[in-house]
Amino acid sequence: DAEGLLRIKEENQKHYRRAQRHQEKKEKIQRHNRKLGDLVEKKTYDLKTQYEHLANLRRAHILELTSVIFPIEEVKTSMRDPADVSSESDNAMTSSTVSKLAEARRTTYLSGRWVCDDHNGDTSISITGPWITLPNNGDYSAYYNWVEEKKTTQGPDMEHNNPAHTISAALCYATQLVNTLSLILDVNLPKKLCNRQFCGENLSRHRFMRAVKKLNANILHLCFSQHVNLDLLHPLHTLRNLMYLVSPDTENLGR
């Protein structure tokens, strides 16, 4: 029993010495982990600072781009509300008729269905200058209607102020701006759309609407990536959505 007790004591001493070595290793690993934690925290702070610096650079480039090359502005028109004009001409008109006229003014027949638009007839959005505008309600029917009429009409096109030319130019500039913004923001666009899509040959109605849908999808994708307020966006408002995206009031522009 004495010899067995001695052996047990020797084994206990060996275990105790081994436990001490393990404790030292544990403390060493903990110190190493604390150093790594401090380093990761410092690197994370540095990365966050670099992200903020990069966002500021992107924001500065975008604001410079949209102020010098691609300015986007809201152009007011002098059209008056039909409800106001009618109520002034007829004092006996009931309030229900006035409200119905106002509601009709905010409604547009677009692509086979009625679309509600609060800005219809009030404003248009210009790009690169006040002479190149797009209808605010997204109704680009003037373009493909002109293309269809031109197919049946022979002779040179002498209409320099044709709204179809304006729509084509505005969409072309918008496409160029969107593709440039995707490079600056480092955001991959969901739809591939080349800069010359709306230039050159006259597009059929199907091809034109397909290209416009691609452009609108790319613009919305950029807006989502920069956390633009969703209440401001509308799937048909091409330049208005783009204007909200590049606005100096967009807090997360460049993220």
Side-chain angles (χ1 to χ4, degrees):
D1 291 341
E3 292 176 355
L5 181 61
L6 183 62
R7 286 196 302 271
I8 292 174
K9 288 182 178 181
E10 292 177 353
E11 291 178 359
N12 288 341
Q13 290 178 354
K14 290 180 181 179
H15 291 318
Y16 178 74
R17 289 192 295 269
R18 185 180 299 174
Q20 284 183 327
R21 290 195 300 270
H22 289 169
Q23 182 65 25
E24 292 175 357
K25 289 182 179 180
K26 177 183 175 182
E27 293 175 356
K28 184 178 179 181
I29 292 174
Q30 288 177 344
R31 290 194 299 269
H32 182 68
N33 288 339
R34 283 195 295 269
K35 290 181 180 179
L36 289 180
D38 296 339
L39 181 62
V40 169
E41 185 177 356
K42 182 178 181 301
K43 292 292 185 181
T44 302
Y45 177 78
D46 293 342
L47 181 62
K48 183 179 178 181
T49 304
Q50 292 296 326
Y51 274 145
E52 293 176 354
H53 178 63
L54 179 60
N56 292 331
L57 285 178
R58 288 171 172 170
R59 183 184 184 91
H61 285 315
I62 291 174
L63 294 181
E64 183 178 6
L65 177 69
T66 54
S67 63
V68 178
I69 303 178
F70 294 102
I72 302 177
E73 298 177 350
E74 188 173 10
V75 180
K76 295 288 185 179
T77 60
S78 58
M79 294 181 64
R80 301 184 62 189
D81 195 322
D84 298 336
V85 177
S86 301
S87 61
E88 291 175 1
S89 61
D90 187 4
N91 295 329
M93 180 175 290
T94 61
S95 59
S96 61
T97 307
V98 174
S99 62
K100 289 179 180 179
L101 283 173
E103 181 181 358
R105 187 179 79 59
R106 293 190 296 268
T107 310
T108 303
Y109 189 75
L110 181 59
S111 299
R113 62 191 180 91
W114 290 98
V115 178
C116 182
D117 180 19
D118 292 337
H119 302 281
N120 183 22
D122 293 339
T123 60
S124 58
I125 308 297
S126 67
I127 183 170
T128 70
W131 52 88
I132 301 180
T133 62
L134 281 182
N136 181 69
N137 59 359
D139 183 9
Y140 308 143
S141 57
Y143 178 86
Y144 46 78
N145 289 339
W146 170 75
V147 172
E148 293 175 358
E149 291 178 2
K150 190 175 181 181
K151 290 180 181 179
T152 58
T153 304
Q154 301 298 328
D157 181 18
M158 303 301 294
E159 300 182 25
H160 299 288
N161 296 325
N162 193 312
H165 296 161
T166 304
I167 292 174
S168 177
L171 292 174
C172 179
Y173 286 136
T175 304
Q176 294 181 33
L177 177 57
V178 168
N179 290 335
T180 306
L181 290 177
S182 69
L183 295 176
I184 296 176
L185 296 173
D186 194 22
V187 176
N188 294 325
L189 297 176
K191 304 294 183 180
K192 183 178 180 181
L193 195 63
C194 62
N195 293 339
R196 64 180 185 273
Q197 182 68 46
F198 296 99
C199 301
E201 61 174 324
N202 298 324
L203 301 176
S204 64
R205 177 170 182 172
H206 174 72
R207 292 180 59 192
F208 178 81
M209 294 304 298
R210 187 167 177 265
V212 170
K213 288 180 181 179
K214 286 184 177 181
L215 178 59
N216 288 335
N218 288 340
I219 293 175
L220 289 175
H221 182 74
L222 288 178
C223 291
F224 298 154
S225 71
Q226 303 305 302
H227 292 177
V228 178
N229 186 2
L230 299 181
D231 295 334
L232 301 175
L233 303 178
H234 190 286
L236 299 179
H237 296 174
T238 306
L239 288 185
R240 182 171 289 276
N241 294 340
L242 201 53
M243 182 178 67
Y244 289 137
L245 171 65
V246 300
S247 172
D249 298 331
T250 304
E251 299 179 357
N252 296 298
L253 181 61
R255 64 180 294 276

